[in-house]
Amino acid sequence: MKLRKVSAAAAAALVLSLTATACGGDDDKDSGSGSGGGDTIKVGIKYDQPGLGLKEPGGKFSGFDVDVATYVAKELGYKPDQIEFVETKSADRENALARGDVKFIAATYSITDERKQKVDFAGPYLLAHQDLLVKKDSDITKGTDLNGKKLCSVTGSTSAQNVKKDIAPKAQLKEYGTYSECIAGLQSGAVDAVTTDDSILAGFASQDQYKGQFKLAGLKLSNENYGIGVKKGDTATVDKINKALEKMVSDGSWDKAVKDNFGPAEYKNEPAPKIGDIKS
């Protein structure tokens, strides 16, 4: 009798085990088949540019580039929670696209002939101008005043090289990894000026910790047409993004994004450029 009871108990345990395993298998299959919300799109942005692409302390992303990227991704069929923003620094943008790390990049990506050899561009979606950010009491008022001065920009950016080549050949270039480092250098006196697009500089100058310390020189040293970078040869995605940008301009979302992100800095933006008119 005792042996029978043990056998019966063992059999019952075996049945329960098999049943639990079967149920577990079904659960795993169900969770894995939820493909509706599983697809994501990786988009390259900057993490350290207030007003354009910024990762805030709480993990939220903000800025004009972020708004543009979110709108474009929506038109490509992705909801905000399906977008994975990936940091793409200036020096690594072409490589990130070539490796397939991201689907597209919206990161103050100025269109140049050199870059067009490596990536394709949609847009442009903003026309900015290269300018200088200096301290409020600085005597730098024009480009040639940079001769003998320490000029900062980020590694991989064309801004500082343009100044040294065409405007102030005796400027001392200082290249840092991020614009945040350049701004900190300007605040401490390690550099005399920071150069990049006026939209970027205006974003930094409007931050609470810097308010009242800096000023834009107001120089239009170049025209910077921001494009959305796409892997070379992916013309289908370029066409889709261009249509999305055209819609963003026509429905008023572009103007709203400009006001929301640049308004506090009193940045005087250019009108929306003609989408698809890719100029260097």
Side-chain angles (χ1 to χ4, degrees):
M1 290 290 295
K2 187 175 182 180
L3 288 174
R4 288 181 182 178
K5 286 181 179 180
V6 172
S7 297
L14 178 60
V15 171
L16 288 173
S17 175
L18 291 173
T19 303
T21 302
C23 290
D26 288 342
D27 287 344
D28 291 342
K29 182 178 180 181
D30 290 341
S31 63
S33 64
S35 58
D39 294 334
T40 60
I41 184 171
K42 292 184 178 181
V43 179
I45 63 169
K46 293 290 182 66
Y47 274 20
D48 68 330
Q49 292 180 352
L52 286 152
L54 181 67
K55 184 176 183 180
E56 300 177 2
K60 179 182 177 183
F61 296 97
S62 64
F64 183 71
D65 283 347
V66 173
D67 289 348
V68 169
T70 300
Y71 190 99
V72 168
K74 178 195 71 174
E75 293 301 308
L76 294 180
Y78 296 90
K79 298 177 182 178
D81 61 359
Q82 293 177 300
I83 303 171
E84 181 181 344
F85 288 116
V86 178
E87 182 178 25
T88 49
K89 295 182 179 181
S90 295
D92 195 44
R93 288 178 295 204
E94 287 82 21
N95 291 332
L97 288 170
R99 292 191 302 259
D101 295 346
V102 293
K103 184 66 174 179
F104 65 84
I105 293 176
T108 58
Y109 205 177
S110 296
I111 300 167
T112 68
D113 287 336
E114 181 181 359
R115 288 169 178 165
K116 284 191 290 186
Q117 301 302 312
K118 301 176 183 178
V119 303
D120 285 336
F121 285 100
Y125 63 92
L126 183 72
L127 173 59
H129 301 286
Q130 184 180 346
D131 201 353
L132 303 175
L133 189 69
V134 296
K135 285 189 174 181
K136 277 283 188 179
D137 59 355
S138 174
D139 59 357
I140 297 174
T141 59
K142 56 185 182 296
T144 52
D145 290 338
L146 290 169
N147 281 310
K149 302 288 188 180
K150 296 175 182 177
L151 176 65
C152 188
S153 193
V154 300
T155 305
S157 173
T158 58
S159 300
Q161 287 87 347
N162 290 341
V163 170
K164 188 171 178 64
K165 177 183 177 183
D166 301 325
I167 300 171
K170 294 182 180 179
Q172 302 174 38
L173 299 188
K174 300 289 183 180
E175 291 188 319
Y176 293 167
T178 65
Y179 287 109
S180 297
E181 294 175 75
C182 279
I183 301 299
L186 180 61
Q187 186 181 41
S188 69
V191 299
D192 301 300
V194 180
T195 186
T196 187
D197 306 343
D198 50 9
S199 55
I200 299 172
L201 297 174
F204 277 108
S206 65
Q207 284 189 296
D208 289 339
Q209 66 265 40
Y210 298 131
K211 280 183 179 178
Q213 297 183 44
F214 308 133
K215 65 181 179 181
L216 285 165
L219 309 179
K220 293 185 177 182
L221 300 177
S222 69
N223 292 331
E224 304 295 334
N225 284 290
Y226 289 175
I228 293 182
V230 176
K231 188 174 183 178
K232 191 69 177 176
D234 190 359
T235 55
T237 298
V238 169
D239 291 342
K240 291 177 182 178
I241 293 176
N242 278 337
K243 289 179 181 177
L245 293 173
E246 288 172 353
K247 183 178 178 181
M248 186 177 187
V249 172
S250 65
D251 69 12
S253 298
W254 188 90
D255 285 325
K256 183 179 185 302
V258 169
K259 183 178 180 180
D260 290 346
N261 294 290
F262 300 133
E266 299 182 1
Y267 170 68
K268 292 177 172 50
N269 65 283
E270 300 279 5
K274 183 179 179 181
I275 308 301
D277 187 10
I278 302 297
K279 295 178 180 178
S280 301

